[in-house]
Amino acid sequence: REDLLRCLRAIGDPLRLRMLVLLADPPGPRTGPVSESEPGMCVSDLRARIGRAHALVSHHVQVLLRAGLIRRVRRGRWSLLQLDTSRVASLGEQIASLASDQLRTLASLGTLESTEMESMPVTAPVAGGTPPPLSLAARASCSGPEMAGAPSW
């Protein structure tokens, strides 16, 4: 499970996910000792495509390397970064396995009699009936970009 979590954390960052997409299908000409038919890119190519600082791109490359999602092929002073397609495929299978486990669980729950389901409380009743509606100020504080932790995009 730790290996799965490490990979999911690695691809959970939008910049690293973008880097994986670029490594899967490198666009246009690349620098370094790379043939057109060979997969992968060097860090300089990634930096140029992403438009971020070399140090930041290198940090994200290290995270992807530690997760095992990419590999480094040395060519003299060049390092060619390639997507580890077998590892990515394995990650996809692990995620699909989690989904199928969940579906099996839901299917087994579906075999319960409807009377059993009706007798199970879903939520606790609210004291005094229904809760009061939220004020406009309360609704505004729970939405919008000013909410703490909300994505800026």
Side-chain angles (χ1 to χ4, degrees):
R1 294 280 180 189
E2 280 301 313
D3 189 41
L4 175 61
L5 288 174
R6 185 181 307 112
C7 288
L8 291 175
R9 282 185 206 114
I11 63 173
D13 183 275
L15 187 59
R16 288 192 289 263
L17 183 58
R18 187 169 170 207
M19 290 168 68
L20 288 175
V21 169
L22 285 170
L23 288 171
D25 189 24
R30 296 168 284 164
T31 59
V34 142
S35 69
E36 286 301 315
S37 62
E38 190 171 23
M41 301 171 81
C42 68
V43 174
S44 298
D45 288 334
L46 277 174
R47 189 206 59 74
R49 298 295 193 290
I50 293 173
R52 300 291 177 98
H54 190 86
L56 180 66
V57 172
S58 292
H59 163 74
H60 287 297
V61 163
Q62 289 303 315
V63 172
L64 292 171
L65 283 167
R66 282 193 299 270
L69 296 170
I70 63 174
R71 62 179 168 263
R72 178 178 292 161
V73 178
R74 300 253 186 219
R75 299 262 171 80
R77 65 184 188 104
W78 293 88
S79 286
L80 181 64
L81 302 170
Q82 296 177 335
L83 186 69
D84 189 339
T85 53
S86 63
R87 179 67 187 113
V88 172
S90 172
L91 178 62
E93 290 168 5
Q94 286 178 302
I95 293 170
S97 172
L98 290 172
S100 66
D101 290 348
Q102 184 70 30
L103 288 174
R104 277 195 294 277
T105 301
L106 291 173
S108 69
L109 290 174
T111 61
L112 294 175
E113 295 294 322
S114 61
T115 56
E116 291 175 332
M117 292 298 286
E118 289 171 4
S119 67
M120 292 182 200
V122 176
T123 60
V126 176
T130 60
L134 288 176
S135 68
L136 288 177
R139 278 190 227 148
S141 69
C142 294
S143 64
E146 59 277 346
M147 184 177 141
S152 60
W153 33 266

